[in-house]
Amino acid sequence: MISSLRPSSRDAIIQAAFELLASDTGVSLADIATRAGVGRATLHRYFSSRDDLFFALAKAAIHDMDDAVEAACKDCSSHSDALYQSLKALVPLGDRYRFLANDTLEEHPDLQADYERQERETVGLVDAAKGEGLFDQAVPTSWIVQSFEHLLYAAWESVTAQQCTPDQATDLAWRTLTNGLGAPS
């Protein structure tokens, strides 16, 4: 039996939607279908409306991010290392992160709860890393979390623009997060 390397039509539609929505939130379903290499009828067979597609994208984004972070952190010896590994795992998923950050999840309480859980987990990880001495205790955790999120997005954008590799972007984001932008003393 020969296995196909081509993703399923549904998976191709989801990937195409993430790619296109990363640069244009108003992209049409027809454009998504074209990028996915399927017809509009095929897209509508899987997703009857834009809302249905966005719901599936939010579920996929949460799932992909959870899986990536869990796999990256399974053997970490410290919270600080887990925070770094989380960043490294999430940089390639910046399109998913951006989608969740920009999408209105209030209409879907289960998805909103999962998104809020991810935020709480990040706060907990930052607090634990702070307790290990990675961050200055005087810096509010909320500031560190927002910095982490913005640097994640900046790293993903740099990779997307082909300005650096995912590893380079991760290292630059980590260096900025943990050392700031000042010259070494």
Side-chain angles (χ1 to χ4, degrees):
M1 180 161 114
I2 299 174
S3 67
S4 172
L5 296 178
R6 186 175 192 276
S8 71
S9 294
R10 184 180 190 285
D11 291 344
I13 293 166
I14 287 176
Q15 185 56 40
F18 277 129
E19 290 169 3
L20 291 174
L21 288 166
S23 59
D24 180 4
T25 56
V27 69
S28 71
L29 293 179
D31 290 337
I32 292 170
T34 299
R35 172 67 73 92
V38 301
R40 288 175 55 183
T42 299
L43 184 143
H44 285 290
R45 219 172 329 180
Y46 289 102
F47 308 104
S48 62
S49 68
R50 189 174 183 86
D51 287 341
D52 285 348
L53 176 59
F54 275 43
F55 178 77
L57 290 170
K59 279 182 78 166
I62 289 168
H63 179 265
D64 292 351
M65 292 170 66
D66 281 346
D67 285 355
V69 169
E70 185 177 325
C73 296
K74 68 179 180 198
D75 295 325
C76 289
S77 60
S78 69
H79 295 97
S80 299
D81 184 39
L83 188 63
Y84 173 80
Q85 295 302 328
S86 294
L87 179 64
K88 186 173 184 173
L90 291 172
V91 166
L93 299 177
D95 56 351
R96 277 110 170 114
Y97 170 77
R98 182 171 189 228
F99 179 82
L100 287 175
N102 291 330
D103 191 39
T104 305
L105 298 175
E106 290 87 25
E107 299 170 15
H108 306 287
D110 291 346
L111 293 177
Q112 182 67 33
D114 281 339
Y115 182 70
E116 290 170 1
R117 173 192 47 79
Q118 286 181 333
E119 288 181 325
R120 284 190 308 274
E121 289 171 356
T122 302
V123 167
L125 193 53
V126 167
D127 273 339
K130 202 174 178 183
E132 293 173 348
L134 182 63
F135 301 111
D136 184 338
Q137 291 291 330
V139 177
T141 297
S142 61
W143 182 266
I144 298 167
V145 169
Q146 286 217 6
S147 297
F148 179 89
E149 291 173 351
H150 290 289
L151 287 166
L152 167 61
Y153 180 72
W156 171 72
E157 276 198 326
S158 293
V159 171
T160 301
Q162 298 180 337
Q163 296 169 338
C164 54
T165 67
D167 285 343
Q168 290 168 329
T170 299
D171 290 342
L172 287 168
W174 185 252
R175 183 173 132 193
T176 304
L177 182 67
T178 58
N179 297 323
L181 295 171
S185 37

